[in-house]
Amino acid sequence: MTAPARVAENERPAAAEALDVERLRASFPILDQEVHGHPLVYLDNAASSQRPEAVIEAVSDCYRTYYSNAHRGVHALSERSTDEYEAARGKVARFVGAARSSELVFTRGTTESLNLVAQSYARPRLRPGDEVLLTEMEHHSNIVPWQLVCEQTGARVRAAPITDDGDLDLAAMAGLVGERTRVVALAHVSNALGTVNDVAAIARLVRDRSEAAVVVDGAQAVPHMKVDVSALGCDFYAFSGHKMYGPGGVGALWGRGALLAAMPPYHGGGAMITRVTFERSEYTVPPHRFEAGTPSIAPAIGLGVAVEFLESIGLERIERHEQALLSHSLEQLNDLPWVQVLGQPRDGGSPRAAVVSLVIDGAHPHDVATILDEQGIAIRAGHHCAQPLMERLGVPATVRASFGMYNTHEEVDRLVSGLHEVRRIFG
Amino acid sequence: MSDLRDLYQQVILDHYRAPRNFGALEPVSACAEGYNPLCGDQVKVYLRMDGDRVEGLTFEGVGCAISTASASLMTEAVRGLERPQAEALIASFLALMTGDGNGAAGADLGKLEVLSGVKDYPVRIKCATLAWHALRAALEGGDSEAVTTE
């Protein structure tokens, strides 16, 4: 039994080593600065992460040396841009475990990916009385597109409940999946609580009870854990470049090839057709059918470099490091009687990704954010675009610290001492 | 760097912890709601006029220290004023927050000066002005739509 394990370790020696965070931080130029006279502590990664030099350089290199429109020209620059753009698609597709790169559509981000599924997959299928099942922990971007398509079709949105601990209530969810359920859309990881939903188990649960498609908002999962869409058993998986150390303005939708092939276009325009007359147009095959107009070429190429960067470090190592940060922060925060961490992990419950959401007795999250900012600590205060979740938790807003691979234990300590300063002022 | 203690002065913390004139008002001449979609802060202002005089003014809602204290201080400052004075005070306060000296001509801000530290924190100015925008809407006869800071 020990021999195979040793072989596996030898194959990936890097995975066993701890993350060299100081070396990693040197790859992120933005981290080396002071804010209000203090070294920056960036704990707003769930809103948007920072980019390593390699990604910045790749985007810059594209614009400096070979940028042109892709899929258009026969000239040398266009050919190079097309090659790099399609190579990036292949890298991102492999990164999430897609069987074919044609199943990977570049979009502007998770929001556009989810709107695409709502309009091109769901809209033609939904009938009055049909149901789209969401969960109480969804981000607005996985609620509003479904409300729009339900208004258009007469279908209705339902929401699976969460427990008081912030886990999805799977038994209750199972009871809500039935023959009218056409779509089940859920976050892989909650942006507000960090709850990691067991997508594979939920996909099985859905398949046992319905024909519904399983649509996953993976924006908060992809930068923090190894994602393999074929193992998850879902039908669509959406994510954003800017949360995974890549450029803004680009994201992706993975969809099962057979489903994508049967879907009408989302936007009409150039590059998504084979033939256009004023009477009718014929649409090209996926993924280009869903990429009308000139895409975000340089950002997509940058995203390809971002996934190479993540792979070079290793998602397992990143996850281990971030879990250590999470434990370190929970140990300290749970010792403070005036801090309440919302939806923190329980034994036997769902795991959490690198997010801590908290409230402080007698101090509104917005005031906490200002006081932390004065100490150079960037966190998010507010409803985190998850107002139904805030209502469920009975709070108007929370303070959210979200970790990335470059955060340190010392930064967690800075956060905790920053909260003590809040306590001193608001006492 | 601005000193946080200029922002969170004792008067502000006091009005945050124990807001004055908090709650609904009955009967009422006009109500108006303010909503900040960025942070979710909500305030509802209740106004009772006696002729042209602000006879009663209360508020309720959930918000941060700055928005709550600003609303509380506002009710104290505006109650009893004639409409033109109230409108001038609103203009002066909003001018103080936006640093627009031209609009400040007129009303003496008095105790409201404790909020002047907010102007050094641009993202927080909307917290301080939320209730004031709602009051202005109420004075104009109330509004079925919430005024927002956006």
Side-chain angles (χ1 to χ4, degrees):
Chain A
M1 288 301 286
T2 52
R6 199 169 294 140
V7 170
E9 275 172 21
N10 289 344
E11 278 172 356
R12 276 186 300 166
E17 290 168 25
L19 196 59
D20 183 349
V21 184
E22 284 313 313
R23 196 164 141 243
L24 180 62
R25 290 178 68 84
S27 308
F28 288 81
I30 202 170
L31 298 177
D32 182 23
Q33 66 171 298
E34 294 201 338
V35 169
H36 300 310
H38 302 276
L40 168 67
V41 176
Y42 189 77
L43 299 178
D44 197 17
N45 295 286
S48 207
S49 64
Q50 302 298 346
R51 289 112 200 84
E53 190 74 59
V55 169
I56 299 167
E57 190 50 44
V59 173
S60 168
D61 182 52
C62 171
Y63 287 134
R64 281 176 198 282
T65 62
Y66 65 86
Y67 177 81
S68 176
N69 213 327
H71 305 298
R72 302 293 199 282
V74 293
H75 57 78
L77 294 190
S78 179
E79 192 180 334
R80 171 90 191 274
S81 285
T82 304
D83 288 349
E84 297 284 350
Y85 179 73
E86 290 303 324
R89 188 194 307 279
K91 292 174 195 171
V92 177
R94 274 194 302 281
F95 180 68
V96 295
R100 284 173 293 275
S101 58
S102 60
E103 294 183 336
L104 198 289
V105 180
F106 278 129
T107 64
R108 284 192 297 133
T110 305
T111 296
E112 187 175 64
S113 298
L114 293 169
N115 277 278
L116 193 166
V117 179
Q119 290 299 318
S120 289
Y121 173 80
R123 189 173 178 178
R125 287 171 174 75
L126 289 175
R127 300 285 173 268
D130 284 348
E131 293 175 358
V132 174
L133 180 60
L134 312 178
T135 83
E136 284 184 336
M137 68 173 83
E138 297 312 308
H139 187 283
H140 295 165
S141 64
N142 203 21
I143 301 174
V144 181
W146 304 111
Q147 289 174 329
L148 289 170
V149 74
C150 284
E151 282 168 20
Q152 290 157 345
T153 58
R156 66 173 180 144
V157 166
R158 305 193 74 183
I162 59 168
T163 66
D164 292 341
D165 293 338
D167 285 1
L168 204 50
D169 184 339
L170 287 186
M173 186 171 195
L176 289 168
V177 179
E179 59 181 20
R180 297 314 300 263
T181 313
R182 297 282 174 258
V183 172
V184 175
L186 77 158
H188 193 172
V189 173
S190 157
N191 73 304
L193 299 179
T195 311
V196 182
N197 289 316
D198 187 347
V199 172
I202 291 163
R204 283 194 299 274
L205 176 161
V206 172
R207 302 255 181 268
D208 288 347
R209 290 166 175 79
S210 73
E211 308 272 297
V214 177
V215 183
V216 180
D217 166 2
Q220 301 292 346
V222 170
H224 304 293
M225 62 190 68
K226 182 66 196 152
V227 169
D228 182 346
V229 291
S230 47
L232 289 174
C234 57
D235 297 295
F236 296 97
Y237 196 95
F239 52 103
S240 297
H242 72 99
K243 293 191 202 290
M244 53 191 290
Y245 311 103
V250 69
L253 172 69
W254 170 82
R256 283 187 191 282
L259 296 180
L260 289 175
M263 283 158 55
Y266 176 46
H267 292 141
M272 46 72 73
I273 42 75
T274 52
R275 183 178 147 79
V276 173
T277 66
F278 281 109
E279 286 69 41
R280 67 184 300 267
S281 298
E282 290 166 17
Y283 310 124
T284 190
V285 292
H288 302 108
R289 184 188 299 166
F290 305 104
E291 293 181 9
T294 297
S296 297
I297 297 165
I301 292 165
L303 181 55
V305 173
V307 303
E308 287 178 327
F309 188 85
L310 280 161
E311 283 168 338
S312 74
I313 293 157
L315 268 297
E316 287 165 26
R317 271 208 295 178
I318 291 169
E319 186 175 3
R320 236 183 354 255
H321 172 65
E322 292 177 351
Q323 287 296 316
L325 293 174
L326 183 64
S327 302
H328 186 56
S329 57
L330 289 175
E331 276 163 23
Q332 298 187 71
L333 294 169
N334 285 333
D335 275 347
L336 305 175
W338 38 273
V339 170
Q340 188 196 349
V341 176
L342 298 167
Q344 60 179 302
R346 304 274 180 219
D347 286 345
S350 298
R352 295 292 183 270
V355 171
V356 178
S357 223
L358 57 89
V359 290
I360 291 185
D361 288 350
H364 189 280
H366 227 145
D367 297 308
V368 176
T370 293
I371 295 168
L372 292 177
D373 179 56
E374 283 298 316
Q375 302 169 75
I377 304 164
I379 52 90
R380 172 89 182 266
H383 51 59
H384 317 298
C385 295
Q387 286 177 350
L389 176 63
M390 296 294 112
E391 198 155 306
R392 168 65 179 84
L393 297 172
V395 293
T398 76
V399 173
R400 180 186 70 184
S402 53
F403 307 116
M405 59 173 152
Y406 39 59
N407 288 125
T408 65
H409 284 60
E410 292 70 33
E411 289 181 311
V412 171
D413 298 341
R414 289 264 312 273
L415 169 68
V416 173
S417 72
L419 295 176
H420 279 286
E421 177 66 12
V422 173
R423 187 67 177 166
R424 268 192 289 280
I425 291 173
F426 275 78
Chain B
M1 171 180 142
S2 314
D3 190 342
L4 279 170
R5 298 192 194 262
D6 287 344
L7 180 64
Y8 293 110
Q9 292 189 38
Q10 213 49 51
V11 176
I12 290 175
L13 294 174
D14 174 47
H15 277 258
Y16 173 53
R17 293 188 187 112
R20 320 296 197 265
N21 304 308
F22 190 84
L25 187 65
E26 191 69 43
V28 68
S29 311
C31 305
E33 285 187 75
Y35 178 57
N36 183 344
L38 177 71
C39 60
D41 279 5
Q42 289 177 38
V43 65
K44 186 169 187 180
V45 166
Y46 297 85
L47 175 70
R48 183 158 66 222
M49 300 298 289
D50 176 11
D52 230 15
R53 196 176 70 89
V54 177
E55 196 264 319
L57 180 61
T58 67
F59 79 103
E60 53 183 10
V62 285
C64 61
I66 304 301
S67 73
T68 305
S70 182
S72 174
L73 286 158
M74 176 189 82
T75 60
E76 286 193 324
V78 174
R79 200 137 73 148
L81 297 184
E82 297 293 322
R83 177 185 291 271
Q85 292 173 296
E87 286 167 351
L89 189 64
I90 293 169
S92 293
F93 182 78
L94 295 178
L96 173 72
M97 287 299 111
T98 55
D100 175 9
N102 298 331
D108 174 14
L109 290 164
K111 199 173 171 185
L112 295 167
E113 292 279 358
V114 298
L115 285 158
S116 63
V118 177
K119 66 177 185 297
D120 294 326
Y121 296 84
V123 297
R124 304 302 302 278
I125 291 169
K126 285 174 176 176
C127 308
T129 58
L130 186 63
W132 294 79
H133 286 296
L135 172 60
R136 181 179 265 175
L139 278 167
E140 286 165 3
D143 200 334
S144 52
E145 291 277 304
V147 294
T148 80
T149 54
E150 294 304 299

